[in-house]
Amino acid sequence: MLRFILRRLLAGVILLFVASSLAYLLLYLGAGDIARQILGVSATQEQVAAKAAQLGLDQPLIVRYVDWVGHAITGDFGASWFTSQPVVAAITSRLAVTLSLVIGTTVVTALVGTALGVWAARKRGAADRFVQIVSVLGFAIPGFLIAIFLVNVFALNLGWFKPTGFVQLSTSFPGWLSTVTLPILALSIGAIAAIASQVRGSVIDTMRQDWVRTLRSRGLSENRVLYKHVLRNAGGPALAVLAVQFVGLLGGAIIVEKIFAIPGLGPVAVDSTARGDIPLVMGLVVVTAAIVVVVNIVIEILHGFLNPKARIS
Amino acid sequence: MSESASTPVPTVAAELRAARSHVGRRLLKNPTGLVALIVLTVMVLLAVFADLLAPMDPSKANIQDVLAPAGGAHPLGADSAGRDVLSRLLFATRFSIAGALWAVLIAAVIGVTSGLIAGYYQKWFESVSVWVISIIQALPGIVVLLAARAVVGPSIWLIMAVFGVILSPAFYRLTYTAVVGVRNELFIDAARVAGVGDASIIGRHILSVVRAPIIIQAALLAGIGIAVQSGLDFLGLGDTNVPTWGQMLSDAFSRMYQAPVLLIWPSLAIALTSISLVLFGNALRDELERAAGKPKKKRRGTTGYVPDTSGDAPVVHDEERADDRPTLLAVDGLVVGYDQPDGGVKQVVNGVSLTVRKGEVHGLIGESGSGKTQTAWSILRLLPAGGRIVAGTVSFDGKDLAHLSESAMVKIRGRRIAYIPQEPMSNLDPSFTIGSQLVEPMTVTLGISKAEAKERALALLGRVGLPDPKKTFDSYPHEVSGGQAQRVLIAGAVSCEADLIIADEPTTALDVTVQADILDLLRDLQSDLHVAVLIVTHNFGVVADLCDRVSVMQNGRIVETGPARSIFRGPRHPYTRSLFDAILEDGAARGPLAHSADRNTITERSAR
């Protein structure tokens, strides 16, 4: 097990290195006169040259890249060009907010998606059609559209929730819950649709397996076989979909955070890209890629737990 | 060679063409597909003729008209800069759809081309593609787009081109799979042998196969493209000079408290277009599947179905000696049917009657498809989905199992009637240890503790001849052999002390050497436990080895039944006789055999 995790971690680190290197080179190759962009059109040529030297932009790209990698390994991603705040500080203060939102959404998605999928697989007929319609709508309608709709109905018209604002999870759980309910709802509908249709399909497939009949022939009720045996076997494919959905939610959170004015990574991402603040953008790329790598490893471990065949090897 | 090889090519191509035109026509008859197509057509027409339809310049701001209500010069009102909403909506339709199509076009060109090359030539190109894709997918699409936006600026075309690259793996995978599937088809080989060049093969044969899936994928991705493009503009990262649905949404959102009505039009446009694209893609896929032979679904109306039990009465052999053992199971006039999509019922068992006495071994023999397994499953009431007992009774210990409630049936299964399946490897849950699959039913049906059940399970595993019960108990199903798995399943069947075991071809899936061992085990257990067995088989050797009584099944009917000895001595139904002849043909002894010699020959063959 440990060897398995170590090997996945190594592969993850390599992927992380390749992806961030590619991002670094493409970002700097694509960027124009950075010092001029920062200082604006009114700056003199000397000021621009001084700024470029201060940022190290007068060095060749390869030298800057090696320097960046060297610092990045020690956890130093430089400072924002505009606020001079260290990149690590700018990101970590907001990472917890986004993660609490995305992980909360993932939990809701897994629970509701599985319940809907099992329901559709068991009852078929009307339940099945309902889940299929929800799947189409959830897949088709963008999350931020749902978010805008929810704000209008539940915050502005009904007044059940505050339209904007955020309470840290560490400050107050009920406060956090009341501020993330609508965002989680908006983010989760699309993901629930994906999980529900996956679970529905794999439960229907698994119920056709020979061993389901044999277990039932031993005197186990259909529900017991379904919830203990079928669901565990159907869980593997659903987990793979959940991993993909998590990556999508990380992106979706950026837009939803703007709608609900949640101080997560979203505003940082939008501001830094709009201004072309490359050190901050690079920090975000590395952090999200690292999260994706970790999530994939966690999912693989969970998958190994569900499916003994995937455990060793 | 070329003569015969050239024939399949036009046939297959013609079939494909026929299937395609069919799909096109059917799509127009599919209500959701048609509505989606109409909505999309209207959207495209609005986008194309935006210049003619728009009453005003979409970017012309007018301070006096800021947030003007609908009516007058502004049919849909004016936005926060006093721009005409209707005009902006029309031009936004043009740019939003064009942006999404542009991304899909880029994705399709990159994905399909690389998929064709990787699938057709494979080798190094394939491994490079796999790596590139995993790098692209290491990041959420939005984050990549934001990073790209930091460099390329707000241009909708550049951003959507980058998004096209991000989407391209979807087309790559689709094309790659299809090409790998097709490239080994007979007609591609035939074309190559006939001297058709690679480019021509790709163009004519492979592209024609992947075309429809690509259209479906494109529809779904275009929906995602619209969502992402609007999302970026909504975040304020787009080009403010180009009106799009996202720009309108962003503007309306900033004025949500003053004029929430402004949100409606761009939201409606995005939702309507996205849903239509998904429904169009789904409808096209449904019709393709249907064209591929999947029957159209209709609701069943089978309550009034009258079963057909006509046919000759079975040949019944007289009892050789009085048998005073009481009847345990009596199946009478059993009809099993499967509901068909067209509303009919396909009958697989047509009025089977048979009895099993206490402690007796009853063989149900017949060729595959004769309905013997269906009979066995319906006694347990474990027919696959769609199958049901249409008529007849299954009396077991004074109860009619055919009409018993499911909860009452649960109490019968395992405890009273147990089951040994045919294929050992697929009949154990791969995710649980063998031990837990033995313990769980015992704790449920016998109500004993886990520790006691474990003790019994270990004893049973030893009893069925497994050399290391502890090890097997802790193993997962994939860690044991087929013969061991079958012993485990037999242990499971006898674990709850049932009165009747239904064994469905318990040796068919095993190696010949293992078959004899398993039959020995069954015979020993049966005589130790005095349990009744209904054994389904197509092998007269098994019958000769184990059975007191035989029923011969053909086409869902019992054609001959009676004591095993009597049937072996003088089979009377022609079908029974042909089954005997079949054995003798592939048997070791080729010479003419007297009827009386049959039994010994067969017994020896199967037991050794």
Side-chain angles (χ1 to χ4, degrees), chain B residues 100 103-104 107-108 111 136 162-172 221-222 224-225:
Chain B
V104 170
I136 290 179
V162 174
F163 191 58
V165 175
I166 298 174
L167 288 179
S168 61
F171 283 111
Y172 169 84
L221 292 182
I224 296 175

Side-chain angles (χ1 to χ4, degrees), chain A residues 30 70 86 122 133 136 144 199 213 234 239 275:
Chain A
R122 277 303 301 283
I133 290 171
V136 168
F144 65 93
V199 168
R213 185 186 309 110
L239 270 180
R275 289 194 295 217

Side-chain angles (χ1 to χ4, degrees), chain B residues 150-411:
Chain B
V151 184
V152 301
S155 157
I156 177 176
W157 309 114
L158 285 176
I159 291 276
M160 290 316 275
V162 174
F163 191 58
V165 175
I166 298 174
L167 288 179
S168 61
F171 283 111
Y172 169 84
R173 216 166 276 142
L174 188 81
T175 317
Y176 176 80
T177 320
V179 172
V180 171
V182 169
R183 63 169 267 141
N184 299 323
E185 288 279 339
L186 218 52
F187 68 91
I188 298 292
D189 281 343
R192 204 179 288 133
V193 170
V196 182
D198 280 355
S200 174
I201 291 177
I202 290 175
R204 196 182 311 158
H205 301 298
I206 295 183
L207 276 183
S208 69
V209 171
V210 294
R211 189 156 77 184
I214 285 175
I215 294 173
I216 295 169
Q217 191 73 45
L220 302 181
L221 292 182
I224 296 175
I226 283 176
V228 163
Q229 200 273 320
S230 319
L232 285 175
D233 275 351
F234 179 75
L235 288 174
L237 296 173
D239 183 351
T240 41
N241 294 322
V242 179
T244 62
W245 292 331
Q247 297 280 359
M248 296 182 70
L249 209 54
S250 179
D251 178 67
F253 184 72
S254 67
R255 298 305 176 103
M256 185 167 61
Y257 292 92
Q258 295 114 301
V261 71
L262 285 179
L263 284 170
I264 290 176
W265 300 109
S267 302
L268 214 59
I270 295 171
L272 212 57
T273 313
S274 304
I275 292 173
S276 300
L277 283 166
V278 174
L279 289 179
F280 173 75
N282 284 356
L284 188 59
R285 189 181 50 209
D286 288 352
E287 293 304 335
L288 267 184
E289 278 174 7
R290 241 167 245 170
K294 213 173 143 191
K296 207 168 179 157
K297 277 211 173 103
K298 258 187 228 161
R299 282 325 297 159
R300 61 167 179 258
T302 51
T303 33
Y305 176 74
V306 181
D308 168 28
T309 54
S310 60
D312 300 329
V315 180
V316 181
H317 290 245
D318 294 335
E319 297 298 322
E320 295 186 315
R321 57 194 151 84
D323 193 339
D324 53 1
R325 290 180 291 187
T327 300
L328 181 65
L329 173 80
V331 177
D332 188 33
L334 178 73
V335 178
V336 176
Y338 282 78
D339 296 321
Q340 296 300 297
D342 62 2
V345 173
K346 185 177 177 240
Q347 244 178 256
V348 292
V349 174
N350 308 319
V352 158
S353 301
L354 60 86
T355 56
V356 180
R357 291 167 197 271
K358 258 192 178 144
E360 175 187 70
V361 182
H362 191 131
L364 188 56
I365 190 164
E367 60 193 357
S368 38
S370 60
K372 45 195 203 307
T373 295
Q374 299 294 330
T375 305
W377 285 345
S378 46
I379 295 170
L380 284 158
R381 286 261 307 276
L382 288 176
L383 286 164
R388 60 196 171 94
I389 296 176
V390 179
T393 56
V394 179
S395 307
F396 176 82
D397 203 22
K399 299 187 190 81
D400 180 10
L401 302 189
H403 298 96
L404 213 55
S405 73
E406 175 59 26
S407 56
M409 234 10 250
V410 166
K411 292 200 178 74

Side-chain angles (χ1 to χ4, degrees), chain A residues 64-137:
Chain A
R64 279 184 279 154
Y65 168 68
V66 172
D67 187 50
W68 181 84
V69 171
H71 282 95
I73 288 171
T74 64
D76 174 12
F77 289 87
S80 159
W81 284 342
F82 293 88
T83 65
S84 302
Q85 190 189 13
V87 168
V88 174
I91 289 175
T92 45
S93 63
R94 289 156 169 271
L95 183 61
V97 175
T98 300
L99 279 184
S100 76
L101 183 63
V102 172
I103 292 174
T105 307
T106 309
V107 171
V108 170
T109 298
L111 294 178
V112 179
T114 306
L116 277 180
V118 168
W119 185 53
R122 277 303 301 283
K123 300 274 184 248
R124 308 301 289 267
D128 205 0
R129 276 194 292 283
F130 170 77
V131 170
Q132 278 175 357
I133 290 171
V134 169
S135 295
V136 168
L137 293 182

